[in-house]
Amino acid sequence: MEALNKPQNTFINSTTIKIIAMASMLIDHLGAFVLLPWLQAGNGQVNFETWNSVYTASRAVGRLAFPLFCFLIVEGFQHTSDVKKYLKRLGIFALISEIPFDLARSHTFFDFSGQNVMFTLFSGLFAIWCIEKFEQPIYRFVGVVLSLAFVFILDTDYSTLGVSVIIILYVLRDFRLFQSLFGAFAFIGSWFAMPAFIITYFYNGLKGNLSSKAFYWFYPVHLLLYALIAYLLLS
């Protein structure tokens, strides 16, 4: 049963998952923040169907990213030596990423209609920290409710679904097969996200060489780059 739940002899370590997740996000945001505005502006009238298909494919590929990042949050939580520092780092980069996110998403410096996904990951981490930290069910419940309320009010990417998935993956962390099945089921409305849990199932538990800081900086930097590209294309 242990071998079934936690495969050991695979090449998929945390670095592999991070690279797949970042590549998926890069392709997804290329479609959402560059290609879509370009098409909507009418610049893709020649071969519109072809470019629209490229856009659709990019968004499908991009569905892999978020489930993988949820899994990495849970793994990071289990291996960090300082959860408060982990929370602080996520929170800081959520704030740093907000202007790049708004620029890429709506071409304005401040758009309060929706916030970036780092806030969702931060809230999910806070929820599982409360579950781990407090023995009394009421405190655990309050922590989870606060996390869900936070992302709902801010209208973050993936919102309450994202926090719920992180909690599910954490609760089932010792049962890899069930973790993968229930994780995939949570995304049943987004079919292209479900294969992410094939990848996580074969995670070998090893860290790899890529620093977690690479993702933190990758997120706002690539959003700024796409915002600039979109501006140049549409100007």
Side-chain angles (χ1 to χ4, degrees):
M1 186 69 172
E2 182 69 16
L4 179 64
N5 283 331
K6 291 191 175 182
Q8 299 295 319
N9 300 317
T10 74
F11 67 92
I12 299 178
N13 56 32
S14 66
T15 290
T16 308
I17 295 176
K18 287 174 186 175
I19 291 172
I20 294 172
M22 288 191 292
S24 172
M25 176 184 285
L26 194 68
I27 294 169
D28 179 52
H29 288 172
L30 177 63
F33 299 141
V34 177
L35 187 55
L36 180 60
W38 181 67
L39 289 170
Q40 289 175 334
N43 297 314
Q45 290 302 321
V46 178
N47 297 322
F48 178 83
E49 290 185 3
T50 299
W51 283 109
N52 191 56
S53 297
V54 172
Y55 164 74
T56 302
S58 72
R59 302 311 306 275
V61 171
R63 297 311 90 200
L64 286 175
F66 184 71
L68 294 178
F69 285 126
C70 288
F71 179 81
L72 290 169
I73 286 292
V74 173
E75 287 298 310
F77 173 74
Q78 293 180 87
H79 294 99
T80 186
S81 59
D82 191 336
V83 179
K84 291 182 180 179
K85 186 176 180 180
Y86 191 8
L87 279 165
K88 181 180 178 181
R89 187 164 59 243
L90 268 176
I92 289 172
F93 273 90
L95 293 172
I96 290 173
S97 301
E98 189 56 28
I99 288 180
F101 177 75
D102 289 343
L103 286 170
R105 179 173 176 260
S106 57
H107 313 294
T108 61
F109 280 96
F110 300 102
D111 178 4
F112 298 105
S113 64
Q115 300 358 288
N116 72 80
V117 77
M118 294 284 279
F119 285 108
T120 307
L121 298 177
F122 169 84
S123 299
L125 178 61
F126 178 78
I128 60 177
W129 177 64
C130 290
I131 293 172
E132 179 76 17
K133 178 179 176 63
F134 298 114
E135 295 183 2
Q136 300 90 334
I138 184 61
Y139 293 142
R140 293 178 173 180
F141 177 76
V142 170
V144 170
V145 169
L146 287 175
S147 300
L148 293 169
F150 180 74
V151 296
F152 179 79
I153 293 170
L154 288 184
D155 192 18
T156 65
D157 266 4
Y158 287 96
S159 190
T160 55
L161 171 63
V163 173
S164 300
V165 168
I166 291 172
I167 293 171
I168 290 170
L169 298 182
Y170 172 72
V171 170
L172 296 174
R173 64 194 180 280
D174 293 326
F175 305 96
R176 181 67 58 74
L177 178 61
F178 296 115
Q179 184 192 54
S180 301
L181 290 174
F182 278 88
F185 182 77
F187 286 95
I188 198 166
S190 181
W191 296 101
F192 291 104
M194 298 173 76
F197 293 99
I198 298 175
I199 297 171
T200 63
Y201 175 74
F202 287 102
Y203 169 61
N204 61 18
L206 301 178
K207 184 177 180 180
N209 298 320
L210 183 65
S211 169
S212 59
K213 294 179 181 178
F215 164 68
Y216 294 131
W217 284 111
F218 167 83
Y219 186 64
V221 169
H222 94 280
L223 289 174
L224 276 176
L225 178 62
Y226 281 162
L228 176 60
I229 293 172
Y231 173 78
L232 294 174
L233 285 175
L234 299 175
S235 59

